[in-house]
């Protein structure tokens, strides 16, 4: 059984570590514009990468839109930012 928590109930330090690991995985895989890196943290605070999704779901109930909401963006704003980032890549 799993439970989705967004944002995760982590300390600021844990959040920074998880984000840094996600960014390292993203960079190592040479991903561009957007993707989703799934991580898990064990009870000792050790983080593991489960998978990287290079084309994550974008329905309003998918994880990326949920993360956008947690960051203060509605679905339209999130889509607009992804479009702008994609267009910038090909300029």
């Amino acid at each position: 059984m799993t439970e989705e928590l967004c944002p995760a109930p982590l300390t600021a330090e844990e959040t920074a570590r998880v984000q840094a690991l996600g960014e390292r995985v993203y960079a190592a895989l040479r991903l561009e514009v957007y993707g989703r890196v799934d991580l898990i943290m064990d009870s000792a605070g050790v983080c593991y990468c489960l998978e990287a999704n290079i084309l994550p779901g974008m329905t309003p109930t998918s994880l990326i839109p949920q993360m956008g909401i947690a960051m203060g963006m509605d679905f339209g704003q999130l889509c607009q930012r992804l479009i702008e980032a994609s267009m910038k890549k090909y300029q």
Side-chain angles (χ1 to χ4, degrees), residues 27 42 64 68 72 75 81 83:
D42 68 16
I64 293 286
F75 187 68
R81 287 191 63 179
I83 290 166

Side-chain angles (χ1 to χ4, degrees), residues 27-38:
L29 295 174
R30 298 181 180 164
L31 301 179
E32 298 177 353
V33 183
Y34 84 106
R36 191 187 76 235
V37 176
D38 295 343

Side-chain angles (χ1 to χ4, degrees), residues 70-89:
M71 295 174 62
M73 285 184 276
D74 66 26
F75 187 68
Q77 292 169 317
L78 174 63
C79 290
Q80 184 64 39
R81 287 191 63 179
L82 293 176
I83 290 166
E84 290 168 358
S86 295
M87 290 175 68
K88 185 177 180 181
K89 175 185 171 191

Side-chain angles (χ1 to χ4, degrees), residues 51-63:
E51 68 174 332
N53 190 328
I54 62 171
L55 192 59
M58 283 298 294
T59 67
T61 58
S62 296
L63 293 174

